[in-house]
Amino acid sequence: MVSREEYLLTCLSEEAAEVIQRASKAIRFGLDSTEPAQTHTNRERLCGELTDLLAIVAMLNDECALAHAHNSELIKAKIDKVDKYFQA
């Protein structure tokens, strides 16, 4: 039997993979392109996948004591690091 923690961690990895896939599509075809037989752009679909990922993070916080917190200082540090390497 799978525990709730294992289930949520599996969901987290699946959602992260979906974010990766949607980001890759946006890189290849553009954020504003729409796949055949789809009504939403890659931008809209990426936003949806990010929302799904954040929902699982919230569930892990609530149910598994993940203790992930929105820390603006850590986020700013990551933004600075990403910008630094982009400029290199």
Side-chain angles (χ1 to χ4, degrees):
M1 182 100 187
V2 174
S3 71
R4 179 77 171 168
E5 180 179 286
E6 290 170 325
Y7 176 73
L8 289 174
L9 289 170
T10 299
C11 289
L12 180 69
S13 66
E14 290 172 354
E15 294 300 342
E18 290 172 9
V19 169
I20 292 166
Q21 180 185 33
R22 189 51 44 203
S24 295
K25 295 282 186 178
I27 291 166
R28 289 179 63 205
F29 303 110
L31 278 169
D32 295 317
S33 71
T34 305
E35 292 182 27
Q38 291 290 326
T39 58
H40 298 289
T41 65
N42 285 328
R43 181 185 311 273
E44 293 166 326
R45 294 178 74 189
L46 178 59
C47 285
E49 296 300 346
L50 289 168
T51 299
D52 293 349
L53 180 69
L54 292 172
I56 300 299
V57 170
M59 292 175 76
L60 281 163
N61 275 343
D62 292 344
E63 298 181 37
C64 300
L66 184 63
H68 173 268
H70 179 84
N71 183 320
S72 58
E73 290 178 24
L74 292 176
I75 291 171
K76 174 72 169 101
K78 180 62 176 181
I79 290 169
D80 290 345
K81 183 177 178 181
V82 169
D83 284 345
K84 174 187 169 189
Y85 286 105
F86 178 72
Q87 295 171 9

